[in-house]
Structures are given as C-alpha cells and as structure tokens.
Amino acid sequence: MTLPRWDGLLLDCRLATLCDNGAAYGAIDHAALGWKDGKVEFAGPQSQLPGDPEVLAARVESARRAWITPGLIDCHTHLVFAGNRAEEFELRLNGASYEEIAHAGGGIVSTVARTRAASDDELFAQSLRRARALLADGATTIEIKSGYGLDLDSEIKMLRTARRIGEELGITVCTTFLGAHAVAPEFAGRQSDYVDEVCIRMLPAIANDKVADAVDAFCETIAFTPTETRRVFETARALGLRVKLHADQLSDTGGAALAAEFGALSADHLEYTNEAGVQAMAAAGTVAVMLPAAFYTLRETRLPPIDRFRTHGVPMAVATDVNPGTSPLLSLRQAMNMACTLFRMTPEEALRGATVNAARALGLADRGTLDAGKRADFVVWEIDHPAELTYWIGGTLARRICVGGHWHRVATPAHA
Ligand SMILES: [Zn+2]
C-alpha cells in the first residue's frame, strides 16, 4: 500500500498560472493542482498527472471547471492606522475649506494623533478588519507600511501590529518602515531635524528590532526632498535594508531615478515620472507600482507613463494603497479594475500586476505564479474568464482561498 503523497489535489480546474507558457494569463485548461507542505507540487494538464488522483493525494476534489489564480499580492498598503477620515470626507463634500478641515483637526495629523493614542489591541482590532477585507477578495500576501506614528515607539507599534495581523490571519505580511512619510508634529518647521531623527535614531533601532522588511519614503514637494530622501536611503543601505519610494505622484522630482539609483524594489505612484526615470528603473529592475485608487480619490488627471513602462520592459504592479486620506479602498480587485479603466492597463497586465509583478516588488521569489515549488497560495474564483476579475466592480468572486496549503473559507453562503 502506498501512502498519499500530496496534501490536496484539485481536478477539473482552469489555471491562470501567470507563467510564461505562451498562453494568455499562462492559462492551462483541463488542469489539476496538487500541493504538499504548503507548496505547489503539480500545476499542469490533468492528463499529465503522474498517477491515479486517489493515490497521489490525501484529499481529492473537483474544482468544477473553476478558474484558479495565484493568491493576490497587495504590495503597497498603509492599512494599520486608528480612526478614519470619513468625517473629513463629509465636511469637504459639504463645502468646508481646507482651513476649516484643518481647524477641525483633519488631515494626516489627525490620523497620527489617533494612531499614537490607540492601544496595541485597539490598533490591531481596527486594522485587522481591513486586512480581512483584502483577504476575502483574494489577497494572501499584504505589504503594510508604518508612517502614522512618526516617533520611534509608535512606528514600532505599527510595525508589530502589522506582523501580528499576519500571524492572526495566517497570511504573509511584509512590513515597511515609512518614518519619512510626514514631518512629526513636534518637529513642525524643523524638517531637517526630523530627518536626523529618522536616520540617526529611528532607522538603527528599527533595523536592530528586525521589525521592518524594507524602508520607504515620500519624496514630493509637499513631503521630503530628493536630498532628504537620499539620506534616508543611504542610511537604510548601510543598515542592510532594501528601499522603495513614493515617487513622482504630484510632480516630477526625479524620484523614480533616485529609487533606481539605490536598486529600489519598487517606485510607486509615478504619474509624473519622465523618460530618464523610466529608463533608470528598467536598468535597475525596479518595479513600477500603480496606485489608481489614490489617483481616483484625488481626482488626478495626469496618467502614469504606462506605454513607456511597456516599451522599456519595466514590470508593472497594481496595489490598493489602503490609507485613510487618499485611498480608503479595501479590495485589490477594485484597484485592478481602476488600473484598467483609469490607466488603460489590460486585464492581463492588471492580474500580473497583482501577482507575479507584485511578488517581485516585495522581493519574494517564492510566489506570484502557479507552478511547482511555489507557495500553495491560490484562489478559486466564481468566474468564466480571467478578465472578470478586473471587469466586475464589487461583489464576491472568491469561492475558496488557500494560503500556504490551508483553506480559508471566505465565500458567501450561496457559494460555500
Ligand atoms: Zn502609499
């Protein structure tokens, strides 16, 4: 008697592997998917299974012709924060001026105050709900940035909360230190002193605590200058931390080229990135992360140079940018839809952007496609074509979600 070798095996699948197999979406029809110890063992034509299904795996099920993709990867979020800015949203739409909103305690300052004041458990509970929403829509890997603490203890509290979310949900959370998000209120008018604080005090402590996987900064006329950003990056590099950058969102500050110079994992936003920036990113292998929900919320009109990224072969990712000010979006699929509708990316580019290219933006080589050896993170969808993932706005499409070889059952009762 032979013992089953695999933990699970799905038959009668349609796989969107996102591998480069010559087919759109890396699709394989009449496919099977087997996994063991959290990794994919087989993703290919069912006719090529190396034996009888019942012998191959402990559990064998039919996927009833469902489409299966790799678990989605949200490579840019700020989902750990306390409170929200719905009141400010309402005030603005009722005609309040920026001064009135600031007077009422609005803006990033309010999020910083509430995040600092929140207990560990409050911050965790509020943020966990947002992570659950992303997971329910298919995201099995999520990047989470700090940047609403702006003092060492509060930044570490945010990053530990992010890690705790990953442990609670059993998903991968990549953490990013974003101390250079805004100037801390107590440093108002002393921006260079705050950059000192980030570089001399915070970054070494964050590196020592091993609580961040990467370092980010907001390089913009309303945030940190290229010179200040360079200082943050040089410090991060000396500490052995990878970098990424909020670059060229509202103006062309040369952020993309600066990110590329430091071998950044990604440069994100990029609406104003110029030709030289695109070329530098291509040469450095830096991923371009599209954040169309922030573009939408801010009612921006300048499109990122999608065609130039295509021409120069810069990989494009798509992410939610979940944050209380400019992107209160709790669905990566919705971001993919916006990337198509607003930025004219194709549905396949959007799906690659939320899987294989998002994995690259996080420096993760073990996921983003469905093939043997990759993590068994995948989603079984209630769709008849992969383009439906970007076509539908809202709704529940995920039937079942598997994370590291374990099922998360998240579907509506009708689909359960
Ligand atoms: Zn962001």
Side-chain angles (χ1 to χ4, degrees):
M1 221 173 79
T2 316
L3 287 172
R5 291 187 291 160
W6 299 344
D7 298 331
L9 175 60
L10 282 173
L11 304 174
D12 312 313
C13 315
R14 287 182 281 183
L15 301 180
T17 68
L18 285 311
C19 297
D20 294 318
N21 65 2
Y25 298 96
I28 303 173
D29 202 354
H30 304 291
L33 181 66
W35 63 94
K36 183 189 177 189
D37 296 337
K39 288 185 177 173
V40 172
E41 289 279 321
F42 181 91
Q46 193 164 316
S47 60
Q48 292 177 17
L49 274 173
D52 180 42
E54 309 297 335
V55 176
L56 283 171
R59 281 193 66 186
V60 181
E61 293 178 73
S62 170
R64 307 192 307 269
R65 300 280 296 144
W67 276 96
I68 300 177
T69 69
L72 304 184
I73 298 170
D74 196 343
C75 67
H76 182 139
T77 88
H78 308 249
L79 74 75
V80 169
F81 57 86
N84 64 61
R85 307 239 279 274
E87 283 175 31
E88 177 184 329
F89 178 71
E90 186 169 45
L91 276 173
R92 197 181 314 121
L93 288 166
N94 278 310
S97 67
Y98 280 100
E99 289 73 21
E100 287 167 325
I101 288 168
H103 190 68
I108 189 172
V109 177
S110 70
T111 300
V112 171
R114 296 185 73 166
T115 302
R116 285 178 173 182
S119 71
D120 291 3
D121 286 344
E122 282 169 351
L123 189 61
F124 173 69
Q126 291 186 32
S127 306
L128 182 65
R129 288 202 293 271
R130 294 184 277 273
R132 276 195 201 285
L134 293 177
L135 171 59
D137 211 24
T140 56
T141 300
I142 301 174
E143 186 255 19
I144 302 177
K145 303 173 195 296
S146 66
Y148 296 117
L150 308 183
D151 64 44
L152 180 58
D153 288 349
S154 305
E155 288 288 298
I156 286 179
K157 176 172 75 174
M158 288 186 71
L159 293 166
R160 288 193 177 144
T161 299
R163 290 251 200 261
R164 189 175 160 198
I165 287 170
E167 288 156 18
E168 174 73 17
L169 296 179
I171 64 172
T172 303
V173 167
C174 299
T175 56
T176 302
F177 172 62
L178 179 57
H181 190 195
V183 176
E186 52 276 19
F187 284 84
R190 296 186 294 128
Q191 179 149 328
S192 80
D193 290 349
Y194 180 67
V195 177
D196 281 346
E197 178 75 5
V198 167
C199 293
I200 297 169
R201 183 145 176 271
M202 292 194 205
L203 263 168
I206 295 282
N208 191 49
D209 243 35
K210 300 197 187 322
V211 73
D213 301 312
V215 173
D216 195 349
F218 186 17
C219 183
E220 190 53 68
T221 49
I222 59 165
F224 296 91
T225 66
T227 305
E228 290 164 341
T229 302
R230 178 178 292 279
R231 247 194 97 197
V232 172
F233 279 6
E234 282 170 348
T235 309
R237 181 162 65 187
L239 293 164
L241 287 163
R242 298 292 302 268
V243 299
K244 57 182 77 176
L245 189 63
H246 286 69
D248 306 331
Q249 180 187 6
L250 306 169
S251 62
D252 180 5
T253 63
L258 178 62
E261 182 189 328
F262 282 83
L265 289 162
S266 68
D268 305 33
H269 288 292
L270 306 174
E271 278 82 345
Y272 285 82
T273 295
N274 59 37
E275 173 75 18
V278 175
Q279 289 185 20
M281 287 177 68
T286 297
V287 176
V289 179
M290 301 294 113
L291 304 169
F295 176 95
Y296 163 85
T297 301
L298 294 169
R299 298 166 63 84
E300 293 288 327
T301 53
R302 166 86 171 226
L303 293 168
I306 301 286
D307 268 335
R308 282 180 172 162
F309 293 135
R310 288 183 181 129
T311 303
H312 292 285
V314 176
M316 289 183 283
V318 177
T320 58
D321 195 15
V322 175
N323 76 71
T326 62
S327 190
L329 174 71
L330 297 176
S331 160
L332 181 51
R333 269 198 323 105
Q334 180 70 72
M336 292 157 61
N337 169 273
M338 291 178 175
C340 294
T341 301
L342 298 173
F343 291 174
R344 314 312 292 170
M345 287 172 70
T346 67
E348 182 174 352
E349 284 175 332
L351 183 56
R352 289 186 178 279
T355 53
V356 59
N357 290 346
R360 186 165 164 184
L362 295 176
L364 299 173
D366 65 345
R367 67 196 72 194
T369 56
L370 281 180
D371 52 329
K374 292 289 161 67
R375 267 180 68 89
D377 290 354
F378 56 86
V379 184
V380 183
W381 301 97
E382 295 280 358
I383 55 173
D384 283 318
H385 190 285
E388 287 187 59
L389 296 176
T390 47
Y391 165 79
W392 293 111
I393 300 172
T396 304
L397 299 187
R399 182 198 296 173
R400 299 175 86 189
I401 297 174
C402 189
V403 188
H406 300 284
W407 289 109
H408 270 263
R409 201 176 265 276
V410 294
T412 58
H415 292 155

